[in-house]
Amino acid sequence: MKNIVIFGAPGSGKGTQSAKLIDEYGLYHISTGELLREHIRRGTEIGLTANEFISRGQLIPDELMIRILDEVLDAEASGKKGVVFDGFPRTVAQADALKSLLRKRGTDLHAVIGLEVPEDELVERMINRGRETGRADDTPETIKNRLQVYHQQTLPLKEYYQAEGSYIPVNGSGVVDEIFNDIAAGLAEKAGLERRRKL
Ligand code: ADP
């Protein structure tokens, strides 16, 4: 298996680039944000809890998030070529958990793509997305909280993965396909992942 984390601030384009990654490399996409929003739509117990945190721009507690991921890996990801983790990990505890969840399944994490986008651009993108899609947490107040949470709890993971040598920085501003080309080049160089179709 080839397992990749796509890492970046809210609004950095993780979802957009994940879609291209699964298409290009035949990997399985796990977006924890999407999983939680699906629970909210279905009105499950997890959804009710998740909504309390998401609507305030806070993270879902680690223990719950890790348990959900463990279950999804069993239910959906076994037998796949690999997984793109989008929106997970978001804390050091989650990064440690991801390691043991993968190890338990006899596999490993092969690369962490860090989408780097200036903060004013992030805010603009999320405001636009909120207008276009009505996503409930893309409102000015919640965006502010999410960025604060990102800086406090998630950004330390950049150093965590840099120290392990798995962090691949990618400039996340600009044209979607050009950003993807940079991602693909980084994955080829650092993780030995070849594109299905050559350019
Ligand atoms: P974005 O990266 O734009 O914030 P996501 O869809 O990845 O969008 O996440 C939306 C929200 O879902 C987060 O603000 C958080 O409340 C919750 N969430 C998603 N992934 C996690 C996670 N790994 N740990 C805790 N909370 C999470």
Side-chain angles (χ1 to χ4, degrees), residues 120-178:
D120 49 352
E121 197 177 327
L122 293 172
V123 174
E124 199 185 305
R125 287 184 187 182
M126 285 187 274
I127 296 283
N128 287 335
R129 183 170 63 187
R131 259 194 226 116
E132 284 162 17
T133 68
R135 196 172 124 171
D137 58 349
D138 282 337
T139 59
E141 185 60 25
T142 311
I143 288 169
K144 212 175 93 196
N145 294 339
R146 283 157 68 203
L147 287 171
Q148 206 171 4
V149 165
Y150 173 74
H151 282 285
Q152 287 169 355
Q153 302 191 54
T154 308
L155 194 55
L157 291 179
K158 176 175 170 178
E159 279 184 27
Y160 177 109
Y161 286 122
Q162 272 174 334
E164 293 190 345
S166 52
Y167 187 81
I168 305 172
V170 170
N171 177 0
S173 296
V175 181
V176 169
D177 285 341
E178 286 172 6

Side-chain angles (χ1 to χ4, degrees), residues 88-116:
F88 188 99
R90 267 174 147 96
T91 62
V92 170
Q94 292 183 13
D96 288 340
L98 181 60
K99 251 186 222 164
S100 51
L101 289 177
L102 291 175
R103 211 161 281 162
K104 194 165 91 178
R105 292 168 173 85
T107 183
D108 210 345
L109 183 59
H110 299 92
V112 177
I113 302 290
L115 290 174
E116 305 192 341

Side-chain angles (χ1 to χ4, degrees), residues 25-36:
Y25 298 101
L27 302 171
Y28 186 75
H29 185 204
I30 297 182
S31 158
T32 44
E34 276 304 321
L35 281 174
L36 296 168

